[in-house]
Amino acid sequence: MTAELLEAIEAQCAVEGNRKRSPFLAEIMELLLTSEMGQSLREGAQKHRRPLSHELEANLVLFNEHIPTERIVELAEASQRNPDQMLVRLVLLGLRVYERAISRMESEIEGASELIS
């Protein structure tokens, strides 16, 4: 473990009341070590031959660049949700709208091909 990482862990523990183990860090470790998402990240890291921390960072950066965080926070507050709950809700709604649009488009294409035949 690098000195920089140890300092960051100590700083996070200090923020959380000088506990020996930061609950935040413990949750991240649990995510990475025991969850299905963690398993997927570990497999991705192995596939791309990079450390797990780089795989996690790459995944976060991919999303973070394209997500209007401020707008999600506003919507979350307006609907009395946490931002992460709001993000999940928006993704599920987006999938539903997308699937309906694709289905409608396929129906229109099938209808047009029947007219040509």
Side-chain angles (χ1 to χ4, degrees), residues 15-81:
V15 166
E16 295 180 16
N18 283 324
R19 298 180 186 166
K20 281 191 173 185
R21 287 194 183 132
S22 160
F24 173 72
L25 293 173
E27 287 179 24
I28 288 176
M29 293 305 294
E30 181 180 356
L31 167 77
L32 294 175
L33 297 175
T34 62
S35 70
E36 289 181 30
M37 182 187 297
Q39 175 64 29
S40 175
L41 286 169
R42 288 191 307 278
E43 289 170 1
Q46 186 176 25
K47 178 182 171 187
H48 297 114
R49 295 183 180 167
R50 59 183 171 200
L52 183 57
S53 61
H54 292 171
E55 185 70 17
L56 179 60
E57 182 180 19
N59 278 275
L60 291 173
V61 168
L62 287 175
F63 287 109
N64 220 12
E65 291 178 1
H66 304 287
I67 295 177
T69 309
E70 291 175 13
R71 184 68 180 126
I72 291 170
V73 169
E74 290 171 4
L75 292 170
E77 289 172 356
S79 64
Q80 298 180 345
R81 289 186 170 94

Side-chain angles (χ1 to χ4, degrees), residues 98-114:
Y98 177 79
E99 289 170 346
R100 288 180 183 162
I102 294 295
S103 178
R104 190 176 18 220
M105 201 173 6
E106 288 173 350
S107 295
E108 290 173 2
I109 291 170
E110 288 175 11
S113 65
E114 289 175 6

Side-chain angles (χ1 to χ4, degrees), residues 77-90:
E77 289 172 356
S79 64
Q80 298 180 345
R81 289 186 170 94
N82 291 325
D84 58 335
Q85 293 170 327
M86 191 73 226
L87 184 58
V88 169
R89 177 89 172 128
L90 291 170

